[in-house]
Amino acid sequence: MDKHAHFHSEEEKKRQTNRLARIIGHLQKVRRMIENDADCADVLMQLSASKSALNGLGKEIINEHISHCIYHAIEDGDEEALYEFRKAIEKFF
């Protein structure tokens, strides 16, 4: 069976890449904090914010994937896509 195609709107991709850019900015700040011997508690707080933002992006991608890709995979009878998605969810959480 052919794998179903993944089509994502340009608007959604832009929104997600913007979120990712902000996360990268947070992580760059963490790097600078470590390089500059910032207080460990402050570094951990910034890491926590980065982790939370990354998890939020992951949840957004999961929701979009369910709404579009998995919906179409079910329509197409693509059981492999469902299996792969389950594996990805297990790794994410």
Side-chain angles (χ1 to χ4, degrees):
M1 169 171 279
D2 290 335
K3 219 173 183 184
H4 72 283
H6 287 260
F7 296 104
H8 303 279
S9 74
E10 290 301 317
E11 178 182 311
E12 194 64 33
K13 286 192 279 189
K14 181 72 173 163
R15 203 162 67 77
Q16 291 174 356
T17 57
N18 285 343
R19 284 185 76 169
L20 187 56
R22 286 192 301 274
I23 293 165
I24 290 168
H26 286 300
L27 292 173
Q28 289 170 335
K29 181 175 181 179
V30 170
R31 182 179 183 176
R32 285 190 305 274
M33 291 172 77
I34 291 170
E35 290 171 347
N36 295 324
D37 295 319
D39 182 77
C40 294
D42 293 338
V43 173
L44 289 173
M45 291 297 289
Q46 187 66 34
L47 276 173
S48 176
S50 301
K51 188 170 130 180
S52 178
L54 195 56
N55 282 336
L57 176 59
K59 289 175 185 176
E60 182 179 305
I61 290 171
I62 288 168
N63 285 327
E64 182 190 11
H65 193 69
I66 290 169
S67 299
H68 300 285
C69 302
I70 295 302
Y71 175 83
H72 293 294
I74 291 169
E75 280 185 334
D76 297 340
D78 186 351
E79 291 182 29
E80 182 182 346
L82 299 174
Y83 173 75
E84 292 297 323
F85 184 58
R86 273 196 297 270
K87 284 189 343 188
I89 292 288
E90 287 173 10
K91 288 182 181 184
F92 182 73
F93 290 105

